[in-house]
């Protein structure tokens, strides 16, 4: 599942390549990819055709493009995308790219844009989806997300909390909220209503940097330990963002089809049995929430009364 650095990389690419372009036609090749759009494929195409892409916005792992019907007007709806496990938004700007992209075996939706460009939604595993949704004021009265001055966002993202790279994040409030929970530390980091954008990869990397085990009870943590964990998570995601995110295969790419390379810098995630980059002990893999957690048994000692 793409996490904050991967989604922000895609948002930044959309901001650079498609903003200001008008949607001239919409081709929905798989109805299931617009299943969250209430009016169905025909209404989805109708609400997009003739609309200008006014901004590229992200909150947590949600991404949306506000639609501006008239220059200078305030957008009240947006094209929303959730990439799921394998969704890709790929920008085609040359005739050759447009032609070759049209024959992609996993092309689900194509938006034809002015100046001969196209925006393709490619999704191999079909867990992702697109929809046109109304914009609503955000619960905290804050900007809709990265890249937007708008104090509004799509309803499906209304429950999503701020992320660690958001300058308006209430850090003391987040620290207090983590310590008030009765759960394991990694579960708290993955709770998108508490803090958004952190997924399995960056949670494991942050906990390794903070030298804390994923099952450490949150209500046993000192403020300094929570701060250390949040600092580590922000640090690792900023580093990943600078390297274009983490790509283990061809399923995650940026808008130009290029892979991120932060996977070369991972300290524990996916490295079971390999030596810890800090102490040399073999990295341990545990089953966790139908996924995996990777820890160093020396640097991250198991808590006596962990919450698993």
């Amino acid at each position: 599942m793409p996490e904050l650095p991967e989604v922000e990389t895609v948002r930044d690419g959309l901001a650079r390549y498609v903003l200001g372009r008008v949607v001239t036609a919409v081709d929905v090749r798989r109805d299931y990819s617009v299943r969250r759009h209430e009016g169905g494929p025909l209404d989805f195409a109708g609400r997009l055709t003739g609309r200008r892409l006014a901004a590229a916005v992200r909150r947590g792992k949600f991404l949306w493009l506000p639609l501006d019907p008239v220059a200078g007007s305030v957008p009240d709806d947006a094209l929303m995308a959730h990439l799921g496990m394998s969704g890709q938004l790929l920008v085609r700007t040359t005739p050759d790219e447009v032609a070759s992209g049209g024959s992609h075996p996993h092309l689900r939706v194509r938006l034809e844009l002015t100046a001969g460009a196209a925006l393709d939604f490619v999704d191999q595993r079909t867990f992702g989806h697109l929809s046109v949704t109304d914009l609503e004021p955000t619960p905290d009265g804050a900007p809709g997300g990265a890249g937007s001055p708008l104090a509004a966002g799509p309803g499906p993202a209304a429950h999503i909390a701020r992320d660690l790279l958001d300058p308006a994040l209430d850090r003391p409030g987040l620290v207090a909220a983590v310590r008030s929970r009765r759960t394991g530390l990694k579960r708290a980091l993955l709770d998108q209503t508490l803090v958004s954008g952190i997924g399995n990869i960056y949670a494991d990397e942050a906990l390794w940097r903070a030298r804390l085990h994923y099952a450490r009870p949150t209500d046993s943590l000192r403020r300094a330990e929570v701060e250390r964990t949040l600092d580590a998570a922000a640090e690792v995601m900023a580093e990943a963002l600078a390297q274009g995110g983490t790509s283990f295969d061809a399923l995650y790419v940026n808008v130009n089809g290029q892979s991120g390379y932060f996977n070369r810098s991972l300290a524990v995630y996916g490295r079971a049995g390999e030596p810890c980059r800090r102490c040399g002990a073999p990295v341990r893999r545990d089953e966790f929430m139908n996924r995996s957690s990777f820890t160093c048994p020396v640097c991250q000692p198991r808590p006596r009364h962990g919450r698993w």
Side-chain angles (χ1 to χ4, degrees):
M1 179 75 75
E3 302 178 27
L4 185 154
E6 291 76 46
V7 180
E8 175 59 18
T9 297
V10 173
R11 186 210 67 79
D12 178 69
L14 293 173
R16 287 185 285 118
Y17 293 110
V18 305
L19 295 195
R21 297 183 189 265
V22 174
V23 180
T24 58
V26 178
D27 179 12
V28 178
R29 300 194 179 184
R30 186 181 177 92
D31 292 357
Y32 189 71
S33 293
V34 295
R35 63 191 179 277
R36 300 292 179 90
H37 183 82
E38 293 184 359
L42 290 179
D43 184 72
F44 175 81
R47 289 187 65 176
L48 282 174
T49 304
R51 308 290 296 280
R52 185 172 68 90
L53 304 175
V57 190
R58 173 195 58 75
R59 186 148 193 176
K61 303 176 188 179
F62 281 85
L63 180 70
W64 63 92
L65 298 167
L67 301 167
D68 197 348
V70 180
S73 65
V74 177
D76 58 7
D77 59 355
L79 169 65
M80 190 185 76
H82 196 287
L83 301 180
M85 293 290 290
S86 61
Q88 303 170 357
L89 287 169
L90 302 175
V91 177
R92 319 292 191 183
T93 57
T94 69
D96 287 346
E97 289 175 344
V98 172
S100 61
S103 61
H104 195 291
H106 304 302
L107 176 59
R108 309 306 183 192
V109 180
R110 164 165 281 191
L111 274 59
E112 296 182 15
L113 307 174
T114 47
L119 177 61
D120 289 346
F121 179 60
V122 172
D123 191 8
Q124 178 176 331
R125 298 180 181 174
T126 69
F127 291 122
H129 56 84
L130 302 180
S131 63
V132 178
T133 182
D134 293 338
L135 295 174
E136 306 170 1
T138 55
D140 51 11
S148 172
L150 305 174
H159 66 289
I160 300 298
R162 290 184 178 276
D163 62 67
L164 292 172
L165 303 185
D166 189 329
L169 173 70
D170 177 9
R171 176 64 79 90
L174 175 57
V175 171
V178 170
R179 297 182 71 225
S180 69
R181 298 292 177 97
R182 294 180 59 82
T183 187
L185 181 52
K186 183 174 177 179
R187 285 180 179 269
L189 293 177
L190 297 179
D191 184 347
Q192 302 298 295
T193 66
L194 190 62
V195 59
S196 66
I198 305 174
N200 207 38
I201 296 173
Y202 299 117
D204 280 358
E205 292 297 300
L207 291 168
W208 178 81
R209 293 188 183 204
R211 297 176 179 259
L212 291 170
H213 194 276
Y214 65 86
R216 177 73 181 271
T218 49
D219 52 343
S220 74
L221 293 167
R222 298 186 295 273
R223 284 186 178 85
E225 291 175 317
V226 179
E227 288 280 9
R228 189 167 80 234
T229 303
L230 298 179
D231 286 344
E235 180 182 79
V236 73
M237 287 193 295
E239 291 176 10
L241 180 57
Q243 297 183 41
T246 301
S247 301
F248 288 108
D249 51 33
L251 294 184
Y252 163 69
V253 294
N254 66 15
V255 297
N256 296 317
Q258 299 168 334
S259 297
Y261 51 92
F262 188 71
N263 58 300
R264 304 173 190 173
S265 303
L266 295 172
V268 287
Y269 187 87
R271 300 186 62 243
E274 297 180 34
C276 169
R277 299 192 191 279
R278 189 163 46 212
C279 74
V283 172
R284 176 187 173 92
R285 174 192 172 276
D286 295 318
E287 293 186 4
F288 177 83
M289 296 175 62
N290 296 319
R291 288 175 283 184
S292 299
S293 271
F294 297 89
T295 58
C296 170
V298 174
C299 299
Q300 300 166 267
R302 292 163 65 91
R304 181 176 298 178
H305 301 294
R307 291 205 170 93
W308 306 96

